[in-house]
Amino acid sequence: MTSGDDALFLGLDAGTSGIRAVCVDRYGANVAGARTAYQDDAAARLPDVWKAGVFEVIAALSRQIALARVQGIAVDGQSGTALLCDDHGTPLSPAMFYDEPPSDHAIELLTASLHLGHQQVPATLGRITDLWSANKPGRFHAVHQADWIAGLFCGRFDFSDENNSLKLGYDPTTAGWKFDTTPLPFDARALPTVFPPATGIGRVNKSIAEQYGFSPKCQVFTGTTDGMAGFIAASGLDSLDQATAVTSLGTTLVLKTISPRRVDVAEFGIYSHKLFDKWVAGGASNAGGGALLRHFSPDEMTSLSRQIDPDVASGLDFYPLVSKGERFPVLDNDLLDRTTPRPESDVEFLAGLFESIARIEKTGFDLLREYGVPFPTSVKTVGGGSQNETWLKIRQRILGVPVVAADEAEAAHGAALLTLRGGGIR
């Protein structure tokens, strides 16, 4: 697909709190955006609410730009959130979310039929089995959140991307499923045809094009997970060299680094996504900003940070956890939050917390290096922690490499960049 200088490219992000949309030009610069928030957590789990939110932000974009200029659309969604639908996209089940573990019944059913160990059953496959077990539809499509939303635009619901499908049991190395699909308890044709991210899978259907003013030539591309979209947004398409690293420091700490090879170490929660012809390896710690909020409000952290000298070590050693247990970079399901003894000075205490999370970040990168992932030459960072200049300097001191807040952090921006890739622009 080729396009002129006035072409725009649309990315949609289905997040935990709402729907976001970003349009970029052919150079990857943001030119328009819109968002809508879910009313509450219950609403966030309803496909009809996702749909309403998607077309609400599309309508908002139409008041900013001519949607006829949009040449491509890609969607990112929550990894592991899935539902069942028919050929027309009508939901045949509620959505089951990424944070809902499959039932014991589903795990037992799959281990028996696929001859897998309990730990080998892909989580999303277990959720799909639970949804199917509820009323056992004969014909259906198993779709991830991003697949279903993209399908609303092109009328197809039989596809997915390599990143979302990883937890469904897809193996990007062999370009096939990790198990024999024949003995599945449901019709194996329900599983999607899997493509790399940024693959064209159809054009915007006529009714959507006419209602919102899209060009009938507008292409829909396969998307990715919200985490990978955030990585793409932060790193950019032109900076996907080995040792490119992005740390998300929000409620928890998530590391991702471009690796020369696929690295999967289940006991430490290390896994790899395929991104074009590259691998992105990483892991997620249960440490992070969420643990700090037990002790300080955001305003208190801002005020106290101004009194911290980032070049002076605190001498304190904590392990601040959001909840019990840790999997990366150490494996201890019973590990408890350790933030004692607390010094009398709040400034000293916060400095120690900042340093401790920075050391966990470094331990994570060191662990990845043990398995062949290059230690980053620099780190781009997103999330609430990236906005604290003092914390950035402390992390830079401990990591020994530059740590900079990413220019772009919106997953919707990363999804929009996928359309540039799919359209052959970048």
Side-chain angles (χ1 to χ4, degrees):
M1 181 178 72
T2 58
S3 52
D5 287 340
D6 65 342
L8 299 178
F9 304 85
L10 171 61
L12 290 165
D13 165 53
T16 55
S17 60
I19 303 292
R20 296 174 178 82
V22 167
C23 266
V24 301
D25 62 20
R26 62 184 292 113
Y27 305 104
N30 290 351
V31 297
R35 65 178 60 202
T36 183
Y38 301 133
Q39 190 172 22
D40 51 38
D41 290 343
R45 295 176 178 269
L46 302 175
D48 284 346
V49 173
W50 306 344
K51 180 178 180 179
V54 165
F55 289 108
E56 183 178 332
V57 297
I58 294 298
L61 286 177
S62 72
R63 296 189 286 271
Q64 302 174 46
I65 57 172
L67 293 180
R69 296 170 59 192
V70 175
Q71 299 294 301
I73 300 172
V75 184
D76 76 77
Q78 299 162 40
S79 173
T81 294
L83 68 151
L84 314 183
C85 72
D86 65 16
D87 290 341
H88 304 290
T90 303
L92 300 175
S93 74
M96 196 165 175
F97 260 40
Y98 66 94
D99 58 355
E100 296 180 86
S103 69
D104 291 341
H105 169 73
I107 297 297
E108 293 294 340
L109 192 59
L110 291 171
T111 54
S113 60
L114 302 181
H115 304 293
L116 297 173
H118 280 63
Q119 300 301 318
Q120 295 176 299
V121 173
T124 308
L125 185 65
R127 297 185 190 101
I128 292 297
T129 302
D130 272 326
L131 294 173
W132 169 81
S133 295
N135 57 19
K136 294 184 169 60
R139 177 176 172 81
F140 67 93
H141 297 292
V143 289
H144 300 95
Q145 184 182 40
D147 311 334
W148 187 75
I149 293 173
L152 297 176
F153 287 91
C154 65
R156 282 186 63 182
F157 299 92
D158 62 345
F159 68 90
S160 189
D161 64 88
E162 291 177 327
N163 300 155
N164 272 296
S165 297
L166 195 69
K167 294 179 182 178
L168 186 58
Y170 183 79
D171 186 346
T173 299
T174 63
W177 300 104
K178 295 180 178 179
F179 47 83
D180 178 8
T181 62
T182 307
L184 279 169
F186 52 80
D187 189 339
R189 290 175 294 181
L191 296 178
T193 301
V194 181
F195 301 96
T199 300
I201 44 89
R203 292 181 176 177
V204 171
N205 64 41
K206 184 178 180 181
S207 62
I208 296 293
E210 290 178 348
Q211 183 175 357
Y212 293 96
F214 286 104
S215 164
K217 296 182 180 180
C218 180
Q219 186 88 338
V220 178
F221 296 94
T222 50
T224 185
T225 64
D226 52 355
M228 283 301 296
F231 178 89
I232 294 167
S235 65
L237 291 177
D238 299 326
S239 304
L240 298 179
D241 299 322
Q242 284 188 30
T244 294
V246 174
T247 295
S248 174
L249 186 44
T251 302
T252 59
L253 175 68
V254 183
L255 315 182
K256 286 185 170 67
T257 308
I258 296 288
S259 171
R261 62 183 65 83
R262 179 179 182 177
V263 179
D264 293 292
V265 187
E267 60 265 36
F268 285 115
I270 299 173
Y271 63 94
S272 298
H273 278 298
K274 191 174 183 184
L275 182 61
F276 314 133
D277 60 344
K278 303 179 185 297
W279 292 101
V280 181
S285 170
N286 202 24
L292 304 189
L293 293 174
R294 293 178 177 176
H295 307 283
F296 301 107
S297 70
D299 287 344
E300 287 173 330
M301 282 188 268
T302 299
S303 176
L304 293 170
S305 293
R306 298 191 187 103
Q307 304 172 61
I308 296 173
D309 185 341
D311 296 322
V312 177
S314 71
L316 299 171
D317 182 21
F318 302 128
Y319 207 108
L321 289 174
V322 176
S323 58
K324 177 183 176 181
E326 181 69 304
R327 188 177 180 186
F328 174 89
V330 299
L331 177 62
D332 186 345
N333 294 329
D334 296 319
L335 189 65
L336 298 175
D337 174 77
R338 178 168 53 80
T339 52
T340 57
R342 176 170 177 161
E344 292 184 7
S345 165
D346 285 346
V347 173
E348 186 179 348
F349 183 44
L350 183 60
L353 293 173
F354 281 167
E355 282 186 349
S356 297
I357 293 176
R359 282 194 294 271
I360 294 169
E361 183 178 8
K362 183 176 186 300
T363 302
F365 283 124
D366 285 339
L367 179 64
L368 289 171
R369 179 164 54 184
E370 289 180 21
Y371 289 98
V373 181
F375 196 90
T377 53
S378 65
V379 175
K380 288 186 176 180
T381 185
V382 298
S386 68
Q387 305 306 308
N388 188 302
E389 288 291 335
T390 301
W391 204 357
L392 285 178
K393 291 176 181 177
I394 289 173
R395 293 165 63 193
Q396 183 165 287
R397 167 168 59 83
I398 289 175
L399 290 174
V401 299
V403 179
V404 296
D407 292 333
E408 296 289 348
E410 288 276 8
H413 179 86
L417 293 184
L418 283 179
T419 69
L420 282 174
R421 174 83 178 204
I425 307 301
R426 300 288 289 278

